[in-house]
Amino acid sequence: MFLRMTPATVGDVRAPSPGPLPMSSDPGAAPRIHLSVPHMGGGEERFVREAIATNWMSTVGPNIDAFEAEFCRRIGLPAVAVSSGTAALHLGLRLLGVGPGDEVLSPTLTFVASVNPIAYLGAGPVFLDSERASWNLDPNVLEDALRTRARAGRLPKALVVVHLFGQSADMDPIVALCERFGVLLLEDAAEALGTLYRGRPAGTIAPVGAFSFNGNKIITTTGGGVLVAHDAERVRKARFWSTQARDPGLAYHHTEIGYNYRMSNLLAGVGRGQLEVLDDRVARRRAIAFRYRDAFADLPGISLMPQASYGLHTNWLSCFLIDAAEFGAGRDEVISALGKANIEARPVWKPMHLQPLYASAERFGGAVAEDLFFRGLCLPSSSSLSSDDQNRVIEAVRGACRP
């Protein structure tokens, strides 16, 4: 059913958002365990030292050229390295021709960076609900939205499909629906580097894809992103826009709007070292998630995020659902208990249709996304997390259980 959001409906929620995360003030307390931290592999330092020694400290240089080439070999598509995943999304939507007055579909359960680039271009988001099987965009809701829009004679320009927490959305029906209705498709794989969908890398199935290397991601360049596309000309155009759209020639001549979006050669060196250990980082994150799952197997009311049968879930973050009635404590109570043990934990993303920023946006459904938000818990997932620290997390969660 099609719904228009109003401030009144945004305020109609079933639980308060958690306040500041509690943390121990005891100077003798165990060290803080963070949610997801960078994990260097050793090779990064060599590439960074080379950049410093050769004075390639700008947005050009051997590291950035090599990083793009190495990422291309890993993913199988031409790539341009930029300053953030958000920049990649912005450039990707512009490549698809999104502009003022257009509508762009997006899952409501996502981080705000998936949606803000739609607004950057003067377009408006329309939010879609999740499916429980993957927590990602529900293809049935997408079909309902497209049929509704087609009957009204105003189909959206594009869809941004997001792969949440390291798991791919179910892309085959999504691609088929976009092709049937003539809607352009962009993949937000910011959380899904290393994820597979039926053997294909997430982020490479749509015509354009975006990745993130923020400090909390499975590998990092401290900040940065990559745009990929099936059409190499699109990648060339995005690279041009990312360097202020300066036309060839001696003079600083410009005929198009551009952006200061290029990744630096120094940070690309970090990325080269990180790419070397990507497979290990994926294996470590999965092992941590499954250790938590097995450690909680005897507890009622706590379950790991589903692992969809159609692909490889990297478990970038170890996400669980809490059933307060069975577990004996709600999601926020578990976060509080972890905070008292000096352990960082967070809710899953707050749906966009519950955000004041997008209170006036239209949506299709939303109940599933709301339920996942109100019960969803992200536990420490760093690939460098020691067994002892995993034990601390496990003990704190088990201690919060009051069946």
Side-chain angles (χ1 to χ4, degrees):
M1 177 181 177
F2 173 73
L3 299 171
R4 180 183 291 274
M5 292 303 295
T6 67
T9 55
V10 170
D12 183 18
V13 296
R14 295 173 293 159
S17 297
L21 300 178
M23 54 190 300
S24 174
S25 58
D26 180 0
R32 179 82 165 160
I33 298 176
H34 294 282
L35 189 72
S36 182
V37 301
H39 185 187
M40 296 296 101
E44 302 86 357
E45 186 174 359
R46 172 168 60 89
F47 296 119
V48 170
R49 284 185 179 276
E50 287 176 0
I52 295 171
T54 57
N55 208 34
W56 286 106
M57 302 296 289
S58 183
T59 54
V60 294
N63 275 336
I64 194 165
D65 294 338
F67 180 58
E68 289 176 347
E70 290 158 7
F71 195 84
C72 175
R73 285 194 292 272
R74 172 79 196 206
I75 293 296
L77 291 178
V80 55
V82 293
S83 57
S84 67
T86 307
L89 289 168
H90 184 197
L91 293 170
L93 287 169
R94 187 176 170 190
L95 285 170
L96 296 181
V98 172
D102 288 333
E103 285 187 342
V104 177
L105 303 177
S106 165
T108 186
L109 187 66
T110 189
F111 181 50
V112 72
S114 300
V115 180
N116 284 344
I118 299 169
Y120 296 168
L121 292 163
V126 176
F127 297 121
L128 308 177
D129 207 354
S130 303
E131 61 171 4
R132 293 191 182 277
S134 70
W135 295 15
N136 285 302
L137 173 66
D138 188 333
N140 293 316
V141 176
L142 173 62
E143 183 171 13
D144 179 42
L146 292 174
R147 288 184 181 277
T148 300
R149 282 293 195 263
R151 287 194 296 268
R154 55 187 189 107
L155 282 166
K157 179 77 171 184
L159 164 67
V160 175
V161 60
V162 184
H163 306 304
L164 285 177
F165 303 118
Q167 176 147 270
S168 174
D170 192 359
M171 290 300 294
D172 284 350
I174 291 170
V175 169
L177 284 165
C178 287
E179 290 177 348
R180 186 195 316 170
F181 286 92
V183 174
L184 301 170
L185 182 59
L186 185 153
E187 284 180 82
D188 178 351
E191 301 173 13
L193 181 61
T195 298
L196 298 177
Y197 176 76
R198 303 193 186 281
R200 293 173 288 175
T204 68
I205 299 163
V208 180
F211 296 84
S212 172
F213 304 110
N214 191 31
N216 64 353
K217 295 300 189 292
I218 201 159
I219 64 171
T220 186
T221 59
T222 74
V226 159
L227 178 142
V228 300
H230 289 260
D231 183 351
E233 175 58 25
R234 280 178 161 165
V235 171
R236 188 204 65 78
K237 191 69 171 181
R239 184 177 289 109
F240 172 67
W241 286 336
S242 75
T243 52
Q244 298 290 14
R246 180 186 174 186
D247 293 322
L250 182 62
Y252 288 84
H253 186 71
H254 304 270
T255 54
E256 297 184 57
I257 290 288
Y259 315 96
N260 184 18
Y261 276 177
R262 195 78 162 109
M263 182 184 286
S264 80
N265 185 68
L266 190 71
L267 299 188
V270 177
R272 293 182 69 188
Q274 287 278 280
L275 270 178
E276 293 177 343
V277 296
L278 174 59
D279 291 333
D280 173 75
R281 300 300 184 255
V282 170
R284 286 283 299 154
R285 299 251 179 177
R286 285 172 55 81
I288 290 167
F290 298 152
R291 184 169 184 224
Y292 288 153
R293 177 199 62 190
D294 295 345
F296 304 147
D298 63 322
L299 301 181
I302 183 169
S303 58
L304 181 66
M305 179 180 178
Q307 311 283 304
S309 62
Y310 52 65
L312 176 74
H313 186 347
T314 67
N315 294 277
W316 164 59
L317 291 183
S318 295
C319 301
F320 287 80
L321 277 186
I322 302 293
D323 184 320
E326 295 184 10
F327 192 76
R331 189 272 317 278
D332 292 356
E333 293 174 283
V334 177
I335 291 176
S336 179
L338 287 160
K340 290 174 182 176
N342 218 14
I343 298 168
E344 181 183 13
R346 295 183 187 175
V348 302
W349 301 125
K350 185 174 185 177
M352 291 297 101
H353 72 268
L354 299 182
Q355 302 282 357
L357 175 62
Y358 291 112
S360 62
E362 298 176 351
R363 66 177 169 94
F364 288 79
V368 173
E370 289 181 20
D371 180 60
L372 294 174
F373 165 62
F374 288 123
R375 299 197 292 126
L377 169 70
C378 301
L379 293 178
S381 309
S382 305
S383 53
S384 57
L385 195 65
S386 69
S387 293
D388 286 345
D389 282 348
Q390 291 172 46
N391 289 337
R392 281 179 56 197
V393 175
I394 290 166
E395 291 167 7
V397 172
R398 292 187 66 86
C401 182
R402 298 285 187 271

